[in-house]
């Protein structure tokens, strides 16, 4: 009997490579990670990088396929969103133009007529959230502009903005102050040494069943 799940172990760079875009079911709770939870993730990755561990396991992501590239996230929304925020902040602080473009391509797809791929963000937030997330976090330099203008923050984005601001403030400091690895080293470790196990269910029912088992 064939397995109802396809299992794949991938690096974060592979996960965000463009082979997949991630959508969230309407029944899932919105982003609710606190700064403490987000900082624990960054501290763990940074410590593994400084120890030169051969790899760091970021956890499981449970998906169901909706189309060739579109996947529904059954489990892993909080972690995927936090990693999305982290990549956006690393992109904004990156000084090398080539690396900056590469980091942006991990979170945003340009229109590709040949591949028949539309432009869009790697994480497909709800229509009501997308304009706010673009304006306050995802577009290059968005958070820096908001910090400078002291713009009023949308309440629904408060948790994401808190995490983004904390990440940016810490990553912008020199390693001697932040205690983190060099930003370039951290970025490379995050993308190429941090791994996720992707469990793709054959149906939403199978995905929900696995989510209940894992949690």
């Amino acid at each position: 009997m064939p397995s109802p799940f396809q299992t794949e172990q991938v690096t974060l760079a592979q996960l965000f490579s463009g082979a997949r875009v991630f959508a969230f079911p309407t029944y899932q709770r919105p982003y609710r990670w606190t700064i403490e939870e987000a900082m624990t993730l960054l501290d763990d990755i940074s410590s593994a990088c400084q120890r030169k561990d051969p790899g760091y396991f970021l956890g499981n992501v449970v998906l169901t396929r909706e189309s060739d590239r579109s996947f529904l996230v059954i489990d892993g929304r909080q972690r995927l969103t936090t990693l999305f925020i982290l990549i956006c902040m690393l992109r904004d602080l990156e000084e090398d133009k080539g690396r900056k473009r590469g980091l942006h391509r991990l979170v945003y797809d340009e229109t590709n007529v040949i591949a028949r791929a539309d432009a869009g963000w790697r994480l497909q937030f709800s229509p009501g959230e997308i304009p706010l997330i673009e304006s306050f976090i995802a577009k290059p330099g968005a958070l820096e502009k908001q910090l400078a203008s002291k713009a009023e923050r949308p309440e629904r984005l408060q948790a994401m903005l808190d995490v983004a601001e904390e990440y940016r403030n810490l990553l912008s400091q020199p390693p001697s102050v932040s205690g983190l690895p060099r930003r370039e080293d951290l970025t490379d470790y995050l993308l190429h040494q941090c791994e996720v196990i992707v469990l793709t269910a054959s149906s939403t029912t199978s995905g929900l069943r696995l989510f209940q088992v894992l949690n």
Side-chain angles (χ1 to χ4, degrees):
M1 182 176 178
S3 170
F5 306 103
Q6 176 185 342
T7 304
E8 186 180 5
Q9 187 165 338
V10 299
T11 64
L12 192 61
Q14 292 168 332
L15 184 69
F16 280 77
S17 66
R20 304 176 182 88
V21 291
F22 304 99
F24 304 117
T26 54
Y27 59 78
Q28 281 191 1
R29 65 188 181 121
Y31 186 76
R32 286 291 181 267
W33 263 24
T34 63
I35 289 176
E36 182 179 358
E37 289 169 305
M39 288 307 303
T40 296
L41 177 66
L42 179 57
D43 288 343
D44 288 347
I45 295 169
S46 299
S47 297
C49 176
Q50 289 168 326
R51 292 193 304 265
K52 301 187 186 304
D53 289 354
Y56 179 78
F57 179 54
L58 288 168
N60 301 309
V61 176
V62 181
L63 311 172
T64 58
R65 184 189 293 271
E66 296 216 294
S67 65
D68 287 345
R69 293 177 63 242
S70 180
F71 291 79
L72 198 65
V73 179
I74 305 299
D75 187 29
R77 173 174 186 155
Q78 305 296 315
R79 192 163 52 255
L80 279 175
T81 304
T82 305
L83 293 167
F84 176 89
I85 295 169
L86 178 56
I87 293 172
C88 287
M89 296 305 102
L90 288 168
R91 173 206 61 199
D92 284 357
L93 292 166
E94 178 58 59
E95 297 176 355
D96 181 273
K97 292 182 179 179
R99 287 174 61 88
K100 184 184 284 286
R101 285 194 299 272
L103 286 166
H104 187 62
R105 283 196 293 268
L106 292 176
V107 294
Y108 186 78
D109 281 322
E110 301 290 348
T111 301
N112 187 327
V113 177
I114 301 300
R116 297 181 179 179
D118 295 328
W121 297 100
R122 182 75 57 239
L123 271 58
Q124 298 181 328
F125 301 97
S126 70
E129 289 177 317
I130 288 173
L132 293 172
I133 290 171
E134 282 185 341
S135 299
F136 283 82
I137 295 173
K139 284 185 177 179
L143 181 65
E144 184 176 6
K145 293 173 186 175
Q146 300 307 325
L147 291 173
S149 65
K150 305 289 186 183
E152 183 178 349
R153 295 182 167 193
E155 185 176 349
R156 64 165 60 178
L157 285 190
Q158 189 63 53
M160 290 182 68
L161 283 162
D162 286 345
V163 169
E165 184 174 340
E166 191 73 15
Y167 273 170
R168 191 185 188 283
N169 289 342
L170 186 62
L171 290 164
S172 63
Q173 297 173 3
S176 58
V177 176
S178 68
L180 301 178
R182 287 192 323 131
R183 201 160 52 237
E184 182 176 340
D185 293 338
L186 178 63
T187 300
D188 290 344
Y189 189 85
L190 173 71
L191 297 180
H192 303 294
Q193 301 300 127
C194 292
E195 297 180 324
V196 174
I197 291 183
V198 179
L199 300 162
T200 305
S202 58
S203 68
T204 302
T205 300
S206 297
L208 288 171
R209 188 178 300 123
L210 179 58
F211 169 75
Q212 291 168 353
V213 170
L214 292 173
N215 292 274

